[in-house]
Amino acid sequence: SDGSIRLHQMTSEYPLMQWNGSTNGQPIIALQWALTRPAVFFVLDASSNIYVWDLLENDLQPVAKQAIPSENVVAMALLGEPEKPNGLLGLALAKGSGQIDIQYAKKKWAVP
């Protein structure tokens, strides 16, 4: 609820990494790992901002932020085929009106 993200190992109750206020205090609606690239994850906050984290590039802060200003995004799901090396990675964004928007991530965040 405060925008903090914690990375845990399954064998420990203590986080390996913790990023406080990663969304400037906005609650996190969704967080999903990229299906095609293990070090990348995407975060959706309550203000309809999407943050891209690439832990191999920068493990202190997101490498990109994209605002979705047109309408309130209420859910996010990632699309991709991890067994295929084509590097296609999509984000399905559900808006408050019921519309679904599909966006594709840059290849550098999708290629295995």
Coordinates of all heavy atoms in Angstrom, one line a residue, residues 14-57:
Y14 N 13.0 -13.1 5.4 CA 13.6 -11.8 5.2 C 13.9 -11.5 3.8 O 14.3 -12.4 3.1 CB 14.9 -11.7 6.1 CG 14.6 -11.9 7.5 CD1 15.0 -13.1 8.1 CD2 14.0 -11.0 8.3 CE1 14.8 -13.4 9.4 CE2 13.8 -11.2 9.7 CZ 14.2 -12.4 10.2 OH 13.9 -12.7 11.5
P15 N 13.6 -10.3 3.3 CA 13.8 -10.0 1.9 C 15.3 -10.0 1.5 O 16.1 -9.5 2.3 CB 13.1 -8.7 1.7 CG 13.1 -8.0 3.0 CD 13.0 -9.2 4.0
L16 N 15.6 -10.4 0.3 CA 16.9 -10.2 -0.3 C 17.2 -8.8 -0.6 O 18.3 -8.3 -0.4 CB 17.1 -11.1 -1.5 CG 17.0 -12.6 -1.4 CD1 17.0 -13.2 -2.7 CD2 18.2 -13.1 -0.5
M17 N 16.2 -8.1 -1.1 CA 16.2 -6.7 -1.5 C 14.9 -6.1 -1.1 O 13.9 -6.7 -1.1 CB 16.4 -6.5 -3.0 CG 17.7 -7.0 -3.6 SD 19.1 -6.0 -3.3 CE 18.7 -4.5 -4.2
Q18 N 15.0 -4.8 -0.8 CA 13.8 -4.0 -0.5 C 13.9 -2.6 -1.1 O 14.9 -2.0 -0.9 CB 13.5 -3.9 1.0 CG 12.3 -3.2 1.3 CD 11.9 -3.4 2.8 OE1 12.1 -4.4 3.4 NE2 11.2 -2.4 3.4
W19 N 12.9 -2.2 -1.8 CA 12.9 -0.8 -2.4 C 11.7 -0.1 -1.8 O 10.6 -0.4 -2.1 CB 12.7 -0.9 -3.9 CG 13.9 -1.7 -4.6 CD1 15.1 -1.2 -4.9 CD2 13.9 -3.0 -5.0 NE1 15.9 -2.2 -5.5 CE2 15.1 -3.3 -5.6 CE3 12.9 -4.1 -4.9 CZ2 15.4 -4.6 -6.1 CZ3 13.2 -5.3 -5.4 CH2 14.5 -5.5 -6.0
N20 N 12.0 0.9 -0.9 CA 10.9 1.6 -0.3 C 10.5 2.8 -1.2 O 11.4 3.4 -1.8 CB 11.4 2.2 1.1 CG 11.7 1.1 2.1 OD1 10.9 0.1 2.1 ND2 12.8 1.2 2.8
G21 N 9.2 3.1 -1.2 CA 8.7 4.2 -2.0 C 9.0 4.1 -3.4 O 9.3 5.2 -4.1
S22 N 9.1 3.0 -4.0 CA 9.4 2.8 -5.4 C 8.5 3.4 -6.4 O 8.8 3.7 -7.5 CB 9.6 1.3 -5.7 OG 8.3 0.7 -5.6
T23 N 7.3 3.7 -5.9 CA 6.2 4.4 -6.7 C 5.9 5.8 -6.2 O 4.7 6.2 -6.4 CB 5.0 3.5 -6.8 OG1 4.5 3.3 -5.5 CG2 5.3 2.2 -7.5
N24 N 6.8 6.4 -5.5 CA 6.5 7.7 -4.9 C 5.3 7.6 -3.9 O 4.5 8.6 -3.8 CB 6.3 8.8 -5.9 CG 7.6 9.0 -6.7 OD1 8.7 9.0 -6.2 ND2 7.4 9.2 -8.0
G25 N 5.2 6.5 -3.2 CA 4.2 6.4 -2.2 C 2.8 5.9 -2.7 O 1.9 5.6 -2.0
Q26 N 2.7 5.7 -4.1 CA 1.4 5.2 -4.6 C 1.3 3.7 -4.3 O 2.3 3.0 -4.5 CB 1.3 5.5 -6.1 CG 1.2 6.9 -6.5 CD -0.2 7.5 -6.0 OE1 -1.2 6.8 -6.2 NE2 -0.1 8.6 -5.4
P27 N 0.1 3.3 -4.0 CA -0.1 1.8 -3.8 C 0.2 1.0 -5.1 O -0.1 1.5 -6.2 CB -1.6 1.7 -3.4 CG -2.0 3.1 -2.9 CD -1.1 4.0 -3.7
I28 N 0.7 -0.2 -4.9 CA 1.0 -1.0 -6.1 C -0.3 -1.9 -6.3 O -0.8 -2.6 -5.5 CB 2.2 -1.9 -5.8 CG1 3.4 -1.0 -5.7 CG2 2.4 -3.0 -6.9 CD1 4.7 -1.7 -5.3
I29 N -0.7 -1.8 -7.6 CA -1.9 -2.6 -8.0 C -1.5 -4.0 -8.5 O -2.1 -5.0 -8.2 CB -2.7 -1.9 -9.2 CG1 -3.1 -0.5 -8.7 CG2 -3.8 -2.7 -9.6 CD1 -4.0 -0.4 -7.6
A30 N -0.4 -4.0 -9.3 CA 0.1 -5.3 -9.8 C 1.6 -5.3 -10.0 O 2.2 -4.2 -10.2 CB -0.6 -5.6 -11.1
L31 N 2.2 -6.5 -9.8 CA 3.6 -6.6 -10.1 C 3.8 -8.0 -10.8 O 3.3 -9.0 -10.2 CB 4.4 -6.6 -8.8 CG 5.9 -6.7 -9.0 CD1 6.6 -5.9 -7.8 CD2 6.5 -8.1 -9.1
Q32 N 4.4 -8.0 -11.9 CA 4.6 -9.3 -12.6 C 6.0 -9.4 -13.2 O 6.5 -8.4 -13.8 CB 3.5 -9.5 -13.7 CG 2.2 -9.6 -13.2 CD 1.3 -10.3 -14.2 OE1 1.4 -10.1 -15.4 NE2 0.3 -11.1 -13.7
W33 N 6.6 -10.6 -13.1 CA 7.8 -10.8 -13.8 C 7.6 -11.0 -15.2 O 6.6 -11.6 -15.7 CB 8.5 -12.1 -13.2 CG 9.0 -11.9 -11.8 CD1 8.4 -12.3 -10.6 CD2 10.3 -11.3 -11.4 NE1 9.2 -11.9 -9.6 CE2 10.3 -11.4 -10.0 CE3 11.3 -10.8 -12.2 CZ2 11.4 -10.9 -9.3 CZ3 12.4 -10.3 -11.5 CH2 12.5 -10.4 -10.1
A34 N 8.6 -10.6 -16.0 CA 8.6 -10.8 -17.5 C 8.6 -12.3 -17.7 O 9.3 -13.0 -17.1 CB 9.7 -10.1 -18.2
L35 N 7.8 -12.8 -18.7 CA 7.8 -14.2 -19.0 C 9.0 -14.7 -19.8 O 9.3 -15.8 -19.8 CB 6.5 -14.5 -19.8 CG 5.2 -14.1 -19.1 CD1 4.0 -14.2 -20.0 CD2 5.0 -15.0 -17.9
T36 N 9.7 -13.7 -20.5 CA 10.7 -14.1 -21.4 C 12.1 -13.7 -20.8 O 13.1 -14.1 -21.4 CB 10.5 -13.4 -22.7 OG1 10.4 -12.0 -22.5 CG2 9.3 -14.0 -23.4
R37 N 12.2 -12.9 -19.8 CA 13.5 -12.4 -19.3 C 13.4 -12.4 -17.8 O 12.8 -11.5 -17.2 CB 13.8 -11.0 -19.9 CG 15.1 -10.5 -19.6 CD 15.4 -9.2 -20.4 NE 16.6 -8.6 -20.0 CZ 17.7 -8.8 -20.7 NH1 17.7 -9.6 -21.8 NH2 18.9 -8.2 -20.3
P38 N 14.1 -13.3 -17.1 CA 13.9 -13.4 -15.6 C 14.3 -12.2 -14.8 O 13.8 -12.1 -13.7 CB 14.9 -14.6 -15.3 CG 15.1 -15.3 -16.6 CD 15.0 -14.3 -17.7
A39 N 15.2 -11.3 -15.2 CA 15.6 -10.2 -14.4 C 14.7 -9.0 -14.5 O 15.0 -8.0 -13.9 CB 17.0 -9.9 -14.7
V40 N 13.7 -9.1 -15.3 CA 12.8 -7.9 -15.6 C 11.4 -8.1 -14.9 O 10.8 -9.2 -15.1 CB 12.7 -7.7 -17.1 CG1 11.7 -6.6 -17.4 CG2 14.0 -7.4 -17.7
F41 N 10.9 -7.1 -14.3 CA 9.5 -7.1 -13.8 C 8.9 -5.8 -14.0 O 9.5 -4.8 -14.2 CB 9.4 -7.6 -12.4 CG 10.0 -6.8 -11.3 CD1 9.3 -5.8 -10.7 CD2 11.4 -7.0 -10.9 CE1 9.9 -5.0 -9.7 CE2 12.0 -6.3 -9.9 CZ 11.2 -5.2 -9.3
F42 N 7.5 -5.8 -14.1 CA 6.7 -4.6 -14.3 C 5.8 -4.4 -13.1 O 5.3 -5.3 -12.5 CB 5.9 -4.8 -15.6 CG 6.7 -5.0 -16.8 CD1 7.2 -6.2 -17.1 CD2 6.9 -4.0 -17.7 CE1 8.0 -6.4 -18.3 CE2 7.6 -4.1 -18.9 CZ 8.2 -5.3 -19.2
V43 N 5.7 -3.1 -12.8 CA 4.9 -2.7 -11.7 C 3.8 -1.7 -12.1 O 4.1 -0.7 -12.9 CB 5.7 -2.0 -10.6 CG1 4.9 -1.5 -9.4 CG2 6.8 -3.0 -10.1
L44 N 2.6 -1.9 -11.7 CA 1.5 -0.9 -12.0 C 1.1 -0.3 -10.7 O 0.8 -1.0 -9.7 CB 0.3 -1.6 -12.6 CG -1.0 -0.8 -12.7 CD1 -0.9 0.3 -13.7 CD2 -2.2 -1.8 -13.1
D45 N 1.1 1.1 -10.6 CA 0.6 1.7 -9.4 C -0.8 2.3 -9.5 O -1.4 2.2 -10.6 CB 1.7 2.8 -8.9 CG 1.7 4.1 -9.7 OD1 0.7 4.3 -10.6 OD2 2.6 4.9 -9.5
A46 N -1.3 2.8 -8.4 CA -2.7 3.3 -8.4 C -2.9 4.5 -9.2 O -4.1 4.9 -9.5 CB -3.1 3.5 -6.9
S47 N -1.9 5.2 -9.7 CA -2.0 6.4 -10.5 C -1.8 6.0 -12.0 O -1.6 6.9 -12.8 CB -0.9 7.4 -10.1 OG -1.2 7.9 -8.8
S48 N -1.9 4.7 -12.3 CA -1.8 4.2 -13.7 C -0.4 4.5 -14.3 O -0.3 4.8 -15.5 CB -2.9 4.8 -14.6 OG -4.2 4.5 -14.1
N49 N 0.6 4.4 -13.5 CA 2.0 4.4 -14.0 C 2.5 3.0 -14.1 O 2.3 2.2 -13.1 CB 2.9 5.2 -13.1 CG 2.5 6.7 -13.0 OD1 2.4 7.4 -14.1 ND2 2.2 7.2 -11.8
I50 N 3.3 2.7 -15.1 CA 3.9 1.4 -15.2 C 5.4 1.6 -15.1 O 6.0 2.5 -15.8 CB 3.6 0.7 -16.6 CG1 2.1 0.5 -16.6 CG2 4.4 -0.6 -16.7 CD1 1.6 0.0 -18.0
Y51 N 6.0 0.9 -14.2 CA 7.5 1.0 -14.0 C 8.1 -0.3 -14.5 O 7.6 -1.4 -14.2 CB 7.8 1.1 -12.5 CG 7.1 2.3 -11.8 CD1 5.8 2.2 -11.4 CD2 7.8 3.5 -11.6 CE1 5.2 3.3 -10.8 CE2 7.3 4.6 -11.0 CZ 5.9 4.5 -10.6 OH 5.4 5.6 -10.1
V52 N 9.2 -0.2 -15.2 CA 10.0 -1.3 -15.7 C 11.2 -1.4 -14.9 O 12.0 -0.5 -14.8 CB 10.3 -1.2 -17.2 CG1 11.1 -2.4 -17.7 CG2 9.1 -0.9 -18.0
W53 N 11.4 -2.6 -14.3 CA 12.6 -2.9 -13.5 C 13.5 -3.9 -14.3 O 12.9 -5.0 -14.6 CB 12.3 -3.4 -12.1 CG 11.7 -2.5 -11.2 CD1 10.4 -2.0 -11.2 CD2 12.4 -1.9 -10.1 NE1 10.3 -1.1 -10.1 CE2 11.4 -1.0 -9.4 CE3 13.7 -2.0 -9.5 CZ2 11.8 -0.3 -8.3 CZ3 14.0 -1.2 -8.4 CH2 13.0 -0.4 -7.8
D54 N 14.7 -3.6 -14.5 CA 15.6 -4.6 -15.1 C 16.8 -4.7 -14.1 O 17.7 -3.8 -14.0 CB 16.1 -4.2 -16.4 CG 17.0 -5.2 -17.1 OD1 17.5 -6.1 -16.4 OD2 17.3 -5.0 -18.3
L55 N 16.8 -5.7 -13.3 CA 17.8 -5.9 -12.2 C 19.2 -6.1 -12.7 O 20.1 -5.8 -12.0 CB 17.4 -7.0 -11.3 CG 16.0 -6.8 -10.6 CD1 15.7 -8.1 -9.7 CD2 16.0 -5.6 -9.8
L56 N 19.4 -6.5 -13.9 CA 20.7 -6.6 -14.5 C 21.3 -5.3 -14.9 O 22.5 -5.0 -15.0 CB 20.7 -7.6 -15.7 CG 20.4 -9.0 -15.3 CD1 20.4 -9.9 -16.6 CD2 21.3 -9.6 -14.3
E57 N 20.4 -4.3 -15.3 CA 20.8 -3.0 -15.7 C 20.9 -2.0 -14.5 O 21.9 -1.3 -14.4 CB 19.8 -2.4 -16.7 CG 20.2 -1.1 -17.2 CD 19.2 -0.6 -18.3 OE1 18.6 -1.4 -19.0 OE2 19.1 0.7 -18.4

